[in-house]
Amino acid sequence: MSLIVRQVSINDAQGITDVLNPIIIEGLYTVLDTTFTVDEEKEFIAQFPKRGVFTVVVNEDDSKIIGFQNIEPFASYTKAFDHVGIIGTFVSSGSRGQGVSKKLFQSTFEVAKAKGYEKLFAYVRGDNERALSAYLKQGFEVVGVARKHAKVGDVYVDETLIEKFL
């Protein structure tokens, strides 16, 4: 499989929802609990922070988006956190274990540095060992666990807090 990594465009909304919504419905890998319409995703892309980083991976063979990653500023209420970004990564179920996240990380780290980020931070669902492993392979370190941090349906979920200095 030949992969292309590029910055997101509003025309990617359908492909992003095609990746994200099945993950949400599956209920195992994210604390997101409500699916998104294509119009909602278009609005999210249109309103994405200027300092944000939003990349997609496209399977060159069929031109389908099979994963995406984004970084948003940690907080906008103070400049003290301007160097910190919150990162999220999503890969379609049929494309996991094929180097998609590795390609995303390579591109995202480069763009993040160029935009002035020095540190990336993430919350990984405590029972999502695959995601945690992917982040750790990229140099992230566990800095703590927030117990019962999310409640998905009637189930409390721990969140593992991780960080990486760029």
Side-chain angles (χ1 to χ4, degrees), residues 68-94:
F68 66 93
Q69 191 168 60
N70 59 33
I71 296 173
E72 296 182 65
F74 181 73
S76 59
Y77 57 86
T78 178
K79 291 182 180 178
F81 296 120
D82 281 357
H83 66 293
V84 181
I86 297 283
I87 187 170
T89 308
F90 296 88
V91 177
S92 65
S93 62

mmCIF file of all heavy atoms in Angstrom, residues 68-94:
data_model
loop_
_atom_site.group_PDB
_atom_site.id
_atom_site.type_symbol
_atom_site.label_atom_id
_atom_site.label_comp_id
_atom_site.label_asym_id
_atom_site.label_seq_id
_atom_site.Cartn_x
_atom_site.Cartn_y
_atom_site.Cartn_z
ATOM 1 N N PHE A 68 -6.104 9.993 10.206
ATOM 2 C CA PHE A 68 -5.840 11.421 10.348
ATOM 3 C C PHE A 68 -5.320 11.706 11.740
ATOM 4 O O PHE A 68 -5.456 10.900 12.657
ATOM 5 C CB PHE A 68 -7.085 12.267 10.035
ATOM 6 C CG PHE A 68 -8.226 12.104 10.991
ATOM 7 C CD1 PHE A 68 -8.374 12.945 12.079
ATOM 8 C CD2 PHE A 68 -9.179 11.111 10.799
ATOM 9 C CE1 PHE A 68 -9.433 12.813 12.962
ATOM 10 C CE2 PHE A 68 -10.240 10.965 11.665
ATOM 11 C CZ PHE A 68 -10.368 11.814 12.760
ATOM 12 N N GLN A 69 -4.686 12.861 11.856
ATOM 13 C CA GLN A 69 -4.101 13.282 13.124
ATOM 14 C C GLN A 69 -4.237 14.790 13.211
ATOM 15 O O GLN A 69 -4.103 15.484 12.201
ATOM 16 C CB GLN A 69 -2.634 12.872 13.135
ATOM 17 C CG GLN A 69 -1.931 12.986 14.460
ATOM 18 C CD GLN A 69 -0.584 12.279 14.391
ATOM 19 O OE1 GLN A 69 0.266 12.645 13.591
ATOM 20 N NE2 GLN A 69 -0.395 11.271 15.219
ATOM 21 N N ASN A 70 -4.535 15.271 14.413
ATOM 22 C CA ASN A 70 -4.571 16.721 14.551
ATOM 23 C C ASN A 70 -3.965 17.158 15.874
ATOM 24 O O ASN A 70 -3.873 16.393 16.824
ATOM 25 C CB ASN A 70 -5.988 17.275 14.356
ATOM 26 C CG ASN A 70 -6.997 16.731 15.315
ATOM 27 O OD1 ASN A 70 -6.691 16.430 16.457
ATOM 28 N ND2 ASN A 70 -8.226 16.583 14.853
ATOM 29 N N ILE A 71 -3.516 18.398 15.857
ATOM 30 C CA ILE A 71 -2.992 19.062 17.047
ATOM 31 C C ILE A 71 -3.724 20.383 17.171
ATOM 32 O O ILE A 71 -3.822 21.144 16.214
ATOM 33 C CB ILE A 71 -1.474 19.347 16.929
ATOM 34 C CG1 ILE A 71 -0.693 18.056 16.839
ATOM 35 C CG2 ILE A 71 -0.988 20.198 18.102
ATOM 36 C CD1 ILE A 71 0.788 18.256 16.556
ATOM 37 N N GLU A 72 -4.234 20.613 18.364
ATOM 38 C CA GLU A 72 -4.858 21.897 18.671
ATOM 39 C C GLU A 72 -4.097 22.535 19.825
ATOM 40 O O GLU A 72 -3.502 21.827 20.647
ATOM 41 C CB GLU A 72 -6.325 21.693 19.063
ATOM 42 C CG GLU A 72 -7.164 21.143 17.934
ATOM 43 C CD GLU A 72 -8.630 20.990 18.330
ATOM 44 O OE1 GLU A 72 -9.273 22.030 18.595
ATOM 45 O OE2 GLU A 72 -9.096 19.855 18.392
ATOM 46 N N PRO A 73 -4.098 23.864 19.892
ATOM 47 C CA PRO A 73 -3.454 24.523 21.031
ATOM 48 C C PRO A 73 -4.051 24.018 22.341
ATOM 49 O O PRO A 73 -5.262 23.779 22.436
ATOM 50 C CB PRO A 73 -3.771 26.001 20.816
ATOM 51 C CG PRO A 73 -4.013 26.120 19.339
ATOM 52 C CD PRO A 73 -4.666 24.825 18.939
ATOM 53 N N PHE A 74 -3.200 23.854 23.347
ATOM 54 C CA PHE A 74 -3.632 23.324 24.644
ATOM 55 C C PHE A 74 -4.648 24.233 25.324
ATOM 56 O O PHE A 74 -5.637 23.761 25.865
ATOM 57 C CB PHE A 74 -2.422 23.097 25.557
ATOM 58 C CG PHE A 74 -2.759 22.537 26.899
ATOM 59 C CD1 PHE A 74 -3.141 21.216 27.043
ATOM 60 C CD2 PHE A 74 -2.706 23.336 28.033
ATOM 61 C CE1 PHE A 74 -3.464 20.694 28.283
ATOM 62 C CE2 PHE A 74 -3.015 22.815 29.283
ATOM 63 C CZ PHE A 74 -3.397 21.496 29.404
ATOM 64 N N ALA A 75 -4.406 25.522 25.312
ATOM 65 C CA ALA A 75 -5.310 26.468 25.970
ATOM 66 C C ALA A 75 -5.142 27.839 25.333
ATOM 67 O O ALA A 75 -4.037 28.226 24.969
ATOM 68 C CB ALA A 75 -4.991 26.553 27.463
ATOM 69 N N SER A 76 -6.234 28.552 25.202
ATOM 70 C CA SER A 76 -6.160 29.875 24.569
ATOM 71 C C SER A 76 -6.328 31.014 25.571
ATOM 72 O O SER A 76 -6.215 32.174 25.208
ATOM 73 C CB SER A 76 -7.226 29.984 23.477
ATOM 74 O OG SER A 76 -8.502 29.783 24.041
ATOM 75 N N TYR A 77 -6.574 30.688 26.833
ATOM 76 C CA TYR A 77 -6.825 31.727 27.829
ATOM 77 C C TYR A 77 -5.556 32.349 28.400
ATOM 78 O O TYR A 77 -5.623 33.327 29.146
ATOM 79 C CB TYR A 77 -7.717 31.185 28.962
ATOM 80 C CG TYR A 77 -7.159 29.977 29.669
ATOM 81 C CD1 TYR A 77 -6.270 30.099 30.722
ATOM 82 C CD2 TYR A 77 -7.530 28.699 29.261
ATOM 83 C CE1 TYR A 77 -5.757 28.980 31.372
ATOM 84 C CE2 TYR A 77 -7.039 27.578 29.900
ATOM 85 C CZ TYR A 77 -6.158 27.727 30.945
ATOM 86 O OH TYR A 77 -5.655 26.618 31.577
ATOM 87 N N THR A 78 -4.388 31.780 28.052
ATOM 88 C CA THR A 78 -3.111 32.342 28.499
ATOM 89 C C THR A 78 -2.028 31.976 27.494
ATOM 90 O O THR A 78 -2.108 30.935 26.848
ATOM 91 C CB THR A 78 -2.715 31.814 29.903
ATOM 92 O OG1 THR A 78 -1.435 32.361 30.252
ATOM 93 C CG2 THR A 78 -2.641 30.305 29.944
ATOM 94 N N LYS A 79 -1.027 32.808 27.369
ATOM 95 C CA LYS A 79 0.085 32.512 26.467
ATOM 96 C C LYS A 79 1.070 31.517 27.084
ATOM 97 O O LYS A 79 1.955 31.013 26.408
ATOM 98 C CB LYS A 79 0.800 33.804 26.091
ATOM 99 C CG LYS A 79 -0.053 34.688 25.212
ATOM 100 C CD LYS A 79 0.666 35.935 24.811
ATOM 101 C CE LYS A 79 -0.294 36.741 23.938
ATOM 102 N NZ LYS A 79 0.210 37.978 23.513
ATOM 103 N N ALA A 80 0.884 31.216 28.367
ATOM 104 C CA ALA A 80 1.807 30.324 29.075
ATOM 105 C C ALA A 80 1.845 28.924 28.473
ATOM 106 O O ALA A 80 2.823 28.194 28.643
ATOM 107 C CB ALA A 80 1.424 30.242 30.550
ATOM 108 N N PHE A 81 0.771 28.539 27.760
ATOM 109 C CA PHE A 81 0.698 27.209 27.164
ATOM 110 C C PHE A 81 0.862 27.223 25.647
ATOM 111 O O PHE A 81 0.599 26.227 24.978
ATOM 112 C CB PHE A 81 -0.635 26.533 27.508
ATOM 113 C CG PHE A 81 -0.833 26.272 28.970
ATOM 114 C CD1 PHE A 81 -1.907 26.833 29.643
ATOM 115 C CD2 PHE A 81 0.042 25.455 29.676
ATOM 116 C CE1 PHE A 81 -2.107 26.589 30.987
ATOM 117 C CE2 PHE A 81 -0.158 25.205 31.030
ATOM 118 C CZ PHE A 81 -1.222 25.777 31.690
ATOM 119 N N ASP A 82 1.303 28.330 25.078
ATOM 120 C CA ASP A 82 1.412 28.433 23.616
ATOM 121 C C ASP A 82 2.335 27.382 23.001
ATOM 122 O O ASP A 82 2.200 27.044 21.831
ATOM 123 C CB ASP A 82 1.899 29.826 23.196
ATOM 124 C CG ASP A 82 0.796 30.856 23.221
ATOM 125 O OD1 ASP A 82 -0.376 30.499 23.503
ATOM 126 O OD2 ASP A 82 1.099 32.040 22.955
ATOM 127 N N HIS A 83 3.251 26.856 23.776
ATOM 128 C CA HIS A 83 4.203 25.865 23.259
ATOM 129 C C HIS A 83 3.666 24.430 23.319
ATOM 130 O O HIS A 83 4.303 23.492 22.856
ATOM 131 C CB HIS A 83 5.529 25.946 24.034
ATOM 132 C CG HIS A 83 5.405 25.537 25.467
ATOM 133 N ND1 HIS A 83 4.693 26.260 26.398
ATOM 134 C CD2 HIS A 83 5.898 24.460 26.122
ATOM 135 C CE1 HIS A 83 4.751 25.651 27.571
ATOM 136 N NE2 HIS A 83 5.474 24.557 27.435
ATOM 137 N N VAL A 84 2.443 24.254 23.872
ATOM 138 C CA VAL A 84 1.880 22.919 24.090
ATOM 139 C C VAL A 84 0.686 22.690 23.169
ATOM 140 O O VAL A 84 -0.201 23.538 23.054
ATOM 141 C CB VAL A 84 1.420 22.744 25.563
ATOM 142 C CG1 VAL A 84 0.864 21.337 25.786
ATOM 143 C CG2 VAL A 84 2.559 23.040 26.525
ATOM 144 N N GLY A 85 0.662 21.513 22.542
ATOM 145 C CA GLY A 85 -0.464 21.132 21.704
ATOM 146 C C GLY A 85 -1.061 19.814 22.165
ATOM 147 O O GLY A 85 -0.362 18.966 22.723
ATOM 148 N N ILE A 86 -2.354 19.664 21.940
ATOM 149 C CA ILE A 86 -3.067 18.415 22.231
ATOM 150 C C ILE A 86 -3.167 17.634 20.929
ATOM 151 O O ILE A 86 -3.672 18.162 19.933
ATOM 152 C CB ILE A 86 -4.482 18.693 22.762
ATOM 153 C CG1 ILE A 86 -4.427 19.437 24.077
ATOM 154 C CG2 ILE A 86 -5.273 17.408 22.888
ATOM 155 C CD1 ILE A 86 -4.086 18.585 25.253
ATOM 156 N N ILE A 87 -2.698 16.402 20.929
ATOM 157 C CA ILE A 87 -2.672 15.592 19.709
ATOM 158 C C ILE A 87 -3.687 14.457 19.796
ATOM 159 O O ILE A 87 -3.903 13.883 20.862
ATOM 160 C CB ILE A 87 -1.246 15.047 19.449
ATOM 161 C CG1 ILE A 87 -1.165 14.346 18.092
ATOM 162 C CG2 ILE A 87 -0.784 14.154 20.572
ATOM 163 C CD1 ILE A 87 0.256 13.998 17.668
ATOM 164 N N GLY A 88 -4.297 14.162 18.671
ATOM 165 C CA GLY A 88 -5.210 13.027 18.548
ATOM 166 C C GLY A 88 -4.922 12.287 17.255
ATOM 167 O O GLY A 88 -4.570 12.908 16.247
ATOM 168 N N THR A 89 -5.072 10.976 17.272
ATOM 169 C CA THR A 89 -4.751 10.134 16.123
ATOM 170 C C THR A 89 -5.863 9.118 15.908
ATOM 171 O O THR A 89 -6.303 8.473 16.869
ATOM 172 C CB THR A 89 -3.427 9.371 16.366
ATOM 173 O OG1 THR A 89 -2.410 10.307 16.740
ATOM 174 C CG2 THR A 89 -2.997 8.590 15.150
ATOM 175 N N PHE A 90 -6.288 8.963 14.655
ATOM 176 C CA PHE A 90 -7.343 8.005 14.320
ATOM 177 C C PHE A 90 -6.971 7.277 13.031
ATOM 178 O O PHE A 90 -6.623 7.914 12.039
ATOM 179 C CB PHE A 90 -8.682 8.732 14.136
ATOM 180 C CG PHE A 90 -9.168 9.396 15.392
ATOM 181 C CD1 PHE A 90 -8.786 10.694 15.691
ATOM 182 C CD2 PHE A 90 -9.981 8.724 16.284
ATOM 183 C CE1 PHE A 90 -9.216 11.312 16.858
ATOM 184 C CE2 PHE A 90 -10.408 9.330 17.458
ATOM 185 C CZ PHE A 90 -10.027 10.625 17.744
ATOM 186 N N VAL A 91 -7.043 5.945 13.062
ATOM 187 C CA VAL A 91 -6.731 5.115 11.898
ATOM 188 C C VAL A 91 -7.891 4.145 11.700
ATOM 189 O O VAL A 91 -8.358 3.530 12.662
ATOM 190 C CB VAL A 91 -5.407 4.336 12.103
ATOM 191 C CG1 VAL A 91 -5.126 3.419 10.926
ATOM 192 C CG2 VAL A 91 -4.245 5.312 12.310
ATOM 193 N N SER A 92 -8.334 4.003 10.450
ATOM 194 C CA SER A 92 -9.452 3.100 10.163
ATOM 195 C C SER A 92 -9.094 1.670 10.547
ATOM 196 O O SER A 92 -7.926 1.265 10.482
ATOM 197 C CB SER A 92 -9.841 3.173 8.686
ATOM 198 O OG SER A 92 -8.797 2.690 7.872
ATOM 199 N N SER A 93 -10.093 0.898 10.941
ATOM 200 C CA SER A 93 -9.848 -0.445 11.470
ATOM 201 C C SER A 93 -9.111 -1.334 10.476
ATOM 202 O O SER A 93 -8.237 -2.098 10.862
ATOM 203 C CB SER A 93 -11.155 -1.098 11.910
ATOM 204 O OG SER A 93 -12.026 -1.253 10.811
ATOM 205 N N GLY A 94 -9.410 -1.239 9.198
ATOM 206 C CA GLY A 94 -8.761 -2.075 8.205
ATOM 207 C C GLY A 94 -7.333 -1.676 7.882
ATOM 208 O O GLY A 94 -6.645 -2.383 7.150
#
